[in-house]
Structures are given as C-alpha cells and as structure tokens.
Amino acid sequence: MARLIMKFGGVSVADGKRLRHVGDLVKHFNSDNEIVIVTSALQGVTDDLLFAARKAANEGNVSDVIDFIEKLTDRHHQAVADAIKDQGIAREVQETLDQKLSELEKAYIGICYLGELTPRSLDYISSYGEQLAAPILAGVLRDMGVPSRAFTGAEAGIITDSEYGDSRPLEKTYHLIPQRLLPLQGVPVVTGFIAKDEKGTITTLGRGGSDLSASLIGAAIDADEIWFWKETSGVLTTDPKIVPEAKSIPSISYREAMELSYFGAKVLHPRAIEPAIRKGIPVRVKCTFDPESPGTQIVHDDVQKVDVIKAVTLHKNVALLNISGAGMIGTLGVAARAFTALARAGINIIMISQGSSEANISMVIEERQMEKAEDALRAEFPRDLVKDISHDLNVCAVAVVGAGMAGTPGVAARVFKAMGSSRINVMMISQGSSQHNISFVVAAKDAERAVQELHREFGLGGEA
Ligand code: ASP
Ligand code: MG
C-alpha cells in the first residue's frame, strides 16, 4: 500500500470526457494505493477568468460579465453531464457549482463598478477555476463508487503569505495539512494553485502553481511518490517536434530536472518540486494517455549519475545583451550595478558570461524585455564606464543537461566539436560550476539543427 499524490491539469481536465478518464485512472490505482488528488482548473479556464476580469475593469460592461458567467456555467454543467452518470450526484455537484458561480458573478460586477483590479482581487477571481473543477472531480469519483470530497487549498491546510499573485506557503502549512487530510477518507480532491493567507483572504501560488500544491501536500503527509500526470510520456530527451526520436528519460535527479526547466523544457517548475526535494520524496511524471508506462522518475541527486548527458533543451525568444567598454577593466562593481539595474527593472537574466579581459559582459534575457533592459542600463552607466550597450536578436539558447558531466572530461569538447563540424557558430558560452549543464547561444536559424546534432552526438534517441 503506497501513498500517492496525483496531480492533474491542462488537457487531462479539459472536459467531461477527460475528467471521466481521470476517474478511471484513480479507480485503477486506488485498489492498492492511498491517493490524494490535486487538480487544476479545466483547461484554459484560468486564462479566461483573468481575461474577463481585465475586460470588466477596463470597460465596466455588466452584460459582458453576465455573458461570460453564462458560458462558464455551460462549460462546467456540460462537463458534469458528460462525466457523472448518477442524476442525484450530478445535481448535487451542479448546485455547488451554481453557488460558486453566483459568488464569482458578484465579484465581476463589483469590478465593473469599481473599474479597478488589484492583485488581491485577481487572486480571488482566478481561484474559481480550481474551485469549480474540484467538486466535479470529486463527484466523478463518487459516481464511480470511490468515496471522495473536494477541499480548497486552504481547507486542506495550505496557508501562505499575502504576496497576491505569487504567494509562498508558510512553514505551518506542513503541520496543518496532515491535520486536515489524515487519516485519509476515500480520495480527497484538493484544488491546486489556491490557498489563503493568515487573514483568511484567498491567495494563489503563481501561474502553474498546482504542481507546487501537489508537492506541498505530498511532502506534508509523507507520500511515497508524487505523480504529475501530463500529456507527454514523462520527461523527454528533447522536444519531439525538433527530434522525432526523442525518448522518455526513465530516471533523472532533482537537480537535473531543475536545470531542464530553467532551460525551457516544460517539465515542472523548479519551485514546484522544492517541497518534495526537502523530504526526499520521489516525483514521477506520467502520461495520461499511457498510464501503464512508468514515465520519468525524478529522484534524489546521488542516485542518478549514469549517463553523461540526459537531455538537450532549446530556449527560444531570447536575446543577447552585451555591455562593453575599456573603462570596465578592473573597475569594481560594474557587474553588480548592471545586475541590480536589471533586477530593479524586473528583468530576469537567463545566462551570464564575462571573459577574463573584463571588457565586456554578455547576458541572455527574454527578447520581449530587451528595450526595457537597455534603457535600464543606459540610465545606470556613464559612457566613460560602459561605452557600448548592444544586442543580438534572433538567437536561441541551447543547453545540454546531465549530472554525469560533472568531473567527466571531454563533454564540452564533444559539444563544440559537434557544432563546429555542423558549421554552427557559437555566440556565447556559459557553464556553471555545478557542471550540470553547458549552455550556449546560437543564431535562431541554426538552433534546431544544433539540438538535432547534440541529440545524435550523445546517443539520446538510443541510436548511438
Ligand atoms: N490554473 C492555474 C494556472 O493556469 C494553475 C495551474 O494550472 O497549475 O496557472
Ligand atoms: Mg491551468
């Protein structure tokens, strides 16, 4: 008897048919495991809620709000009708939904009149996606004969600070969750993404935050594993749209998984697995369409050091930002000032490199933030210190990731030899001292070819 947390989101909870499939999966694994479910909103609902909120604040049109609530009601009622057979259970769930939808409608109308939208009201509004999804899933399980009850994040014990839109769980969450959920009765369905602060106001854990909710709950009730059900077959060696031979990686370490997501692989948000790491609980990425396959297991760092390179990632829509000037040589604090100025302007730096001549620093940032970044640096530096601020657009960051490269000579040589033989020009290189990845920048036109070459060079499709 293992205790499992299962998280569902995205396409897995798109509509009644998919929700029924989730019910089947849970029922299947429930016969010899204890399960807690964490669910996201039905696919796309969070985006819809936020869009409608901004529209209400800008245009203040109450009849738009009423239309929107009607559509949302139809979509959720339809899901209930498609997923739940027992009429009594279906009615009960629909009543719960209607109650929530009418609260939500009131909030939207308030926004129309006020014409303003605070981060706090955005959290309130966006919490309804999950609040509507969880009762349906609990109803589906009851319909299948599995005792189940829906919990909001706060009811399950998740309490956060009051950073609306991006709240962090408080330490006491770890004590509250077991008090609220244990001993498990049937299969609880907990809303991902949402929580409350100590004042009792609804908060959210940031976009995509359901993964973090699942991981928190798993860590708090000492789960044996935390399963993230996705549409892909686990974590892949690279994007199968670029390399059709991309394969599912059987096992990777927490560190490798984090490196992968920093470099654009849509695996799991690094923050999301923090609680699991803290308790050493293995995480598994499973494919909803292929439930019998083991997927990818993400385990403690020491366990996995077999393959040198596990995956190749491509980060698109980035740009290279360079600052240079002879005045920078030997001058203290230039890097500190540059990074501080960028941080203040809200710019995230993805890669950094400075040659030992100290006459230039290159950084990779998101392309859409380039203008803001250059403005911030111009405002920071006098021309005698930093002479040139320039950029390259149409570039991509490629990264090879794998813990096994730490201390293994010749990996960088293989990477760059592969680029050289394919006549791909490398514009910037960065390797952190963790030696868990080597990342570099190439022109966008060469990027996919670079990924294909590296995937082949390291035999990731099993072809070597
Ligand atoms: N529904 C939320 C979002 O779309 C949380 C999640 O899906 O994890 O961001
Ligand atoms: Mg979502």
Side-chain angles (χ1 to χ4, degrees):
M1 191 70 138
R3 180 177 285 173
L4 304 175
I5 310 298
M6 295 193 179
K7 185 263 169 176
F8 294 92
V11 180
S12 311
V13 291
D15 54 25
K17 196 171 151 229
R18 305 298 321 156
L19 289 165
R20 187 87 194 166
H21 180 63
V22 169
D24 287 329
L25 288 176
V26 172
K27 198 171 170 179
H28 173 73
F29 287 102
N30 191 39
S31 52
D32 34 44
N33 299 290
E34 277 189 317
I35 299 176
V36 176
I37 297 185
V38 174
T39 185
S40 295
L42 302 203
Q43 187 188 25
V45 167
T46 312
D47 288 332
D48 295 347
L49 289 168
L50 292 171
F51 182 82
R54 297 206 171 90
K55 196 155 178 259
N58 290 334
E59 299 171 13
N61 196 335
V62 173
S63 67
D64 282 352
V65 163
I66 292 168
D67 283 351
F68 172 67
I69 295 290
E70 213 173 276
K71 282 209 193 89
L72 203 62
T73 305
D74 287 348
R75 178 163 177 199
H76 287 84
H77 279 194
Q78 190 61 49
V80 171
D82 293 342
I84 300 176
K85 296 195 179 111
D86 183 282
Q87 287 313 304
I89 297 175
R91 211 169 313 115
E92 207 181 294
V93 172
Q94 252 152 19
E95 275 162 20
T96 306
L97 300 187
D98 289 346
Q99 162 99 36
K100 296 204 181 262
L101 285 155
S102 99
E103 291 162 15
L104 179 62
E105 185 173 69
K106 290 200 192 89
Y108 273 111
I109 292 174
I111 291 167
C112 283
Y113 286 124
L114 292 173
E116 68 166 21
L117 199 54
T118 60
R120 175 178 160 157
S121 39
L122 275 173
D123 270 4
Y124 181 83
I125 294 275
S126 57
S127 76
Y128 276 87
E130 276 71 11
Q131 289 201 58
L132 294 170
I136 309 183
L137 207 43
V140 171
L141 289 173
R142 289 200 298 278
D143 191 40
M144 293 177 153
V146 179
S148 177
R149 184 197 137 185
F151 290 75
T152 62
E155 285 166 348
I158 305 182
I159 306 296
T160 66
D161 61 21
S162 305
E163 274 300 311
Y164 300 111
D166 198 19
S167 305
R168 304 290 155 116
L170 301 181
E171 205 43 44
K172 67 178 186 193
T173 286
Y174 286 96
H175 306 293
L176 283 173
I177 294 173
Q179 287 171 21
R180 301 290 170 79
L181 294 182
L182 298 181
L184 291 180
Q185 282 166 16
V187 175
V189 178
V190 184
T191 59
F193 179 53
I194 68 174
K196 278 190 179 167
D197 64 10
E198 289 190 287
K199 291 173 286 189
T201 307
I202 291 183
T203 55
T204 66
L205 302 170
R207 291 308 305 272
S210 300
D211 287 351
L212 174 56
S213 310
S215 191
L216 265 176
I217 294 172
I221 64 169
D222 286 316
D224 292 294
E225 282 197 7
I226 304 166
W227 290 9
F228 294 92
W229 290 92
K230 307 263 164 183
E231 291 76 58
T232 51
S233 39
V235 179
L236 300 176
T237 51
T238 196
D239 183 348
K241 281 190 226 105
I242 302 175
V243 181
E245 302 81 52
K247 280 200 327 199
S248 171
I249 307 170
S251 182
I252 61 173
S253 71
Y254 296 131
R255 277 274 276 284
E256 290 171 320
M258 286 205 201
E259 302 271 353
L260 278 178
S261 37
Y262 288 137
F263 286 99
K266 289 185 195 66
V267 192
L268 289 168
H269 195 287
R271 240 175 79 200
I273 51 177
E274 235 166 56
I277 297 178
R278 178 163 140 171
K279 284 278 192 90
I281 298 174
V283 164
R284 200 179 277 280
V285 181
K286 299 259 296 177
C287 176
T288 6
F289 303 115
D290 187 11
E292 291 306 323
S293 108
T296 297
Q297 204 192 20
I298 308 177
V299 294
H300 201 275
D301 295 347
D302 309 332
V303 184
Q304 270 305 312
K305 285 214 169 160
V306 203
D307 300 312
V308 176
I309 298 294
K310 293 266 175 61
V312 185
T313 69
L314 181 57
H315 201 143
K316 290 185 182 164
N317 306 318
V318 295
L320 197 53
L321 172 62
N322 313 295
I323 61 175
S324 59
M328 288 164 61
I329 302 172
T331 307
L332 292 179
V334 178
R337 280 174 69 181
F339 300 149
T340 308
L342 291 173
R344 253 192 261 114
I347 286 147
N348 182 37
I349 305 173
I350 300 165
M351 286 166 63
I352 302 168
S353 147
Q354 178 191 283
S356 62
S357 82
E358 301 177 25
N360 72 68
I361 298 175
S362 322
M363 289 156 279
V364 175
I365 63 172
E366 297 291 343
E367 192 172 57
R368 62 185 164 78
Q369 294 192 311
M370 184 50 83
E371 220 179 282
K372 220 160 88 189
E374 286 188 327
D375 290 346
L377 293 175
R378 284 213 178 85
E380 178 67 31
F381 291 114
R383 290 265 305 185
D384 56 344
L385 183 55
V386 172
K387 188 163 158 286
D388 263 331
I389 297 173
S390 67
H391 64 243
D392 291 285
L393 302 176
N394 300 318
V395 299
C396 291
V398 177
V400 294
V401 175
M405 74 171 88
T408 307
V411 180
R414 273 173 80 183
V415 169
F416 296 113
K417 185 163 177 287
M419 294 302 96
S421 343
S422 322
R423 313 202 61 74
I424 292 172
N425 181 41
V426 175
M427 303 165 77
M428 170 195 176
I429 301 175
S430 154
Q431 178 191 288
S433 59
S434 82
Q435 303 179 36
H436 281 44
N437 82 74
I438 297 172
S439 45
F440 57 95
V441 173
V442 298
K445 66 171 174 48
D446 295 330
E448 298 206 343
R449 208 155 48 84
V451 172
Q452 289 154 358
E453 289 303 330
L454 291 169
H455 200 268
R456 183 170 21 248
E457 170 66 30
F458 289 98
L460 299 182
E463 64 273 66

PDB file of all heavy atoms in Angstrom, residues 391-403:
ATOM      1  N   HIS A 391      22.841  44.655 -28.648  1.00  0.00           N
ATOM      2  CA  HIS A 391      22.116  43.389 -28.502  1.00  0.00           C
ATOM      3  C   HIS A 391      22.105  42.589 -29.805  1.00  0.00           C
ATOM      4  O   HIS A 391      22.360  43.133 -30.873  1.00  0.00           O
ATOM      5  CB  HIS A 391      20.680  43.649 -28.036  1.00  0.00           C
ATOM      6  CG  HIS A 391      19.858  44.411 -29.031  1.00  0.00           C
ATOM      7  ND1 HIS A 391      19.343  45.657 -28.763  1.00  0.00           N
ATOM      8  CD2 HIS A 391      19.469  44.107 -30.289  1.00  0.00           C
ATOM      9  CE1 HIS A 391      18.670  46.078 -29.808  1.00  0.00           C
ATOM     10  NE2 HIS A 391      18.737  45.154 -30.751  1.00  0.00           N
ATOM     11  N   ASP A 392      21.839  41.300 -29.677  1.00  0.00           N
ATOM     12  CA  ASP A 392      21.571  40.441 -30.829  1.00  0.00           C
ATOM     13  C   ASP A 392      20.204  39.821 -30.640  1.00  0.00           C
ATOM     14  O   ASP A 392      19.974  39.143 -29.631  1.00  0.00           O
ATOM     15  CB  ASP A 392      22.588  39.290 -30.897  1.00  0.00           C
ATOM     16  CG  ASP A 392      23.977  39.785 -31.230  1.00  0.00           C
ATOM     17  OD1 ASP A 392      24.202  40.122 -32.398  1.00  0.00           O
ATOM     18  OD2 ASP A 392      24.824  39.845 -30.314  1.00  0.00           O
ATOM     19  N   LEU A 393      19.312  40.060 -31.576  1.00  0.00           N
ATOM     20  CA  LEU A 393      18.011  39.403 -31.521  1.00  0.00           C
ATOM     21  C   LEU A 393      18.115  38.137 -32.370  1.00  0.00           C
ATOM     22  O   LEU A 393      19.170  37.817 -32.895  1.00  0.00           O
ATOM     23  CB  LEU A 393      16.918  40.336 -32.039  1.00  0.00           C
ATOM     24  CG  LEU A 393      16.801  41.655 -31.278  1.00  0.00           C
ATOM     25  CD1 LEU A 393      15.749  42.546 -31.922  1.00  0.00           C
ATOM     26  CD2 LEU A 393      16.478  41.430 -29.814  1.00  0.00           C
ATOM     27  N   ASN A 394      17.011  37.424 -32.516  1.00  0.00           N
ATOM     28  CA  ASN A 394      17.030  36.188 -33.318  1.00  0.00           C
ATOM     29  C   ASN A 394      18.115  35.210 -32.901  1.00  0.00           C
ATOM     30  O   ASN A 394      18.858  34.697 -33.731  1.00  0.00           O
ATOM     31  CB  ASN A 394      17.196  36.499 -34.810  1.00  0.00           C
ATOM     32  CG  ASN A 394      16.062  37.361 -35.309  1.00  0.00           C
ATOM     33  OD1 ASN A 394      14.910  37.120 -34.945  1.00  0.00           O
ATOM     34  ND2 ASN A 394      16.388  38.367 -36.086  1.00  0.00           N
ATOM     35  N   VAL A 395      18.208  35.004 -31.607  1.00  0.00           N
ATOM     36  CA  VAL A 395      19.127  33.985 -31.123  1.00  0.00           C
ATOM     37  C   VAL A 395      18.352  33.005 -30.235  1.00  0.00           C
ATOM     38  O   VAL A 395      17.222  33.282 -29.834  1.00  0.00           O
ATOM     39  CB  VAL A 395      20.294  34.594 -30.306  1.00  0.00           C
ATOM     40  CG1 VAL A 395      21.107  35.543 -31.168  1.00  0.00           C
ATOM     41  CG2 VAL A 395      19.790  35.286 -29.048  1.00  0.00           C
ATOM     42  N   CYS A 396      18.958  31.861 -29.981  1.00  0.00           N
ATOM     43  CA  CYS A 396      18.356  30.872 -29.082  1.00  0.00           C
ATOM     44  C   CYS A 396      19.429  30.381 -28.131  1.00  0.00           C
ATOM     45  O   CYS A 396      20.603  30.371 -28.476  1.00  0.00           O
ATOM     46  CB  CYS A 396      17.846  29.657 -29.856  1.00  0.00           C
ATOM     47  SG  CYS A 396      16.423  29.999 -30.882  1.00  0.00           S
ATOM     48  N   ALA A 397      19.000  29.940 -26.953  1.00  0.00           N
ATOM     49  CA  ALA A 397      19.936  29.320 -26.017  1.00  0.00           C
ATOM     50  C   ALA A 397      19.742  27.815 -26.068  1.00  0.00           C
ATOM     51  O   ALA A 397      18.626  27.322 -25.946  1.00  0.00           O
ATOM     52  CB  ALA A 397      19.706  29.843 -24.611  1.00  0.00           C
ATOM     53  N   VAL A 398      20.835  27.102 -26.285  1.00  0.00           N
ATOM     54  CA  VAL A 398      20.796  25.641 -26.298  1.00  0.00           C
ATOM     55  C   VAL A 398      21.495  25.178 -25.027  1.00  0.00           C
ATOM     56  O   VAL A 398      22.500  25.758 -24.627  1.00  0.00           O
ATOM     57  CB  VAL A 398      21.566  25.084 -27.522  1.00  0.00           C
ATOM     58  CG1 VAL A 398      21.588  23.563 -27.505  1.00  0.00           C
ATOM     59  CG2 VAL A 398      20.949  25.608 -28.818  1.00  0.00           C
ATOM     60  N   ALA A 399      20.959  24.157 -24.373  1.00  0.00           N
ATOM     61  CA  ALA A 399      21.646  23.634 -23.192  1.00  0.00           C
ATOM     62  C   ALA A 399      21.686  22.121 -23.236  1.00  0.00           C
ATOM     63  O   ALA A 399      20.708  21.480 -23.617  1.00  0.00           O
ATOM     64  CB  ALA A 399      20.940  24.096 -21.913  1.00  0.00           C
ATOM     65  N   VAL A 400      22.826  21.557 -22.860  1.00  0.00           N
ATOM     66  CA  VAL A 400      22.880  20.109 -22.634  1.00  0.00           C
ATOM     67  C   VAL A 400      22.934  19.930 -21.125  1.00  0.00           C
ATOM     68  O   VAL A 400      23.646  20.644 -20.432  1.00  0.00           O
ATOM     69  CB  VAL A 400      24.097  19.421 -23.314  1.00  0.00           C
ATOM     70  CG1 VAL A 400      23.982  19.495 -24.817  1.00  0.00           C
ATOM     71  CG2 VAL A 400      25.399  20.026 -22.851  1.00  0.00           C
ATOM     72  N   VAL A 401      22.130  19.000 -20.641  1.00  0.00           N
ATOM     73  CA  VAL A 401      21.966  18.846 -19.204  1.00  0.00           C
ATOM     74  C   VAL A 401      22.255  17.412 -18.789  1.00  0.00           C
ATOM     75  O   VAL A 401      21.827  16.468 -19.448  1.00  0.00           O
ATOM     76  CB  VAL A 401      20.507  19.214 -18.810  1.00  0.00           C
ATOM     77  CG1 VAL A 401      20.260  18.955 -17.329  1.00  0.00           C
ATOM     78  CG2 VAL A 401      20.212  20.658 -19.144  1.00  0.00           C
ATOM     79  N   GLY A 402      22.966  17.261 -17.686  1.00  0.00           N
ATOM     80  CA  GLY A 402      23.217  15.924 -17.148  1.00  0.00           C
ATOM     81  C   GLY A 402      24.224  15.992 -16.018  1.00  0.00           C
ATOM     82  O   GLY A 402      25.285  16.593 -16.176  1.00  0.00           O
ATOM     83  N   ALA A 403      23.885  15.390 -14.869  1.00  0.00           N
ATOM     84  CA  ALA A 403      24.776  15.455 -13.711  1.00  0.00           C
ATOM     85  C   ALA A 403      26.067  14.690 -13.971  1.00  0.00           C
ATOM     86  O   ALA A 403      27.099  14.980 -13.378  1.00  0.00           O
ATOM     87  CB  ALA A 403      24.076  14.892 -12.484  1.00  0.00           C
TER      88      ALA A 403
END
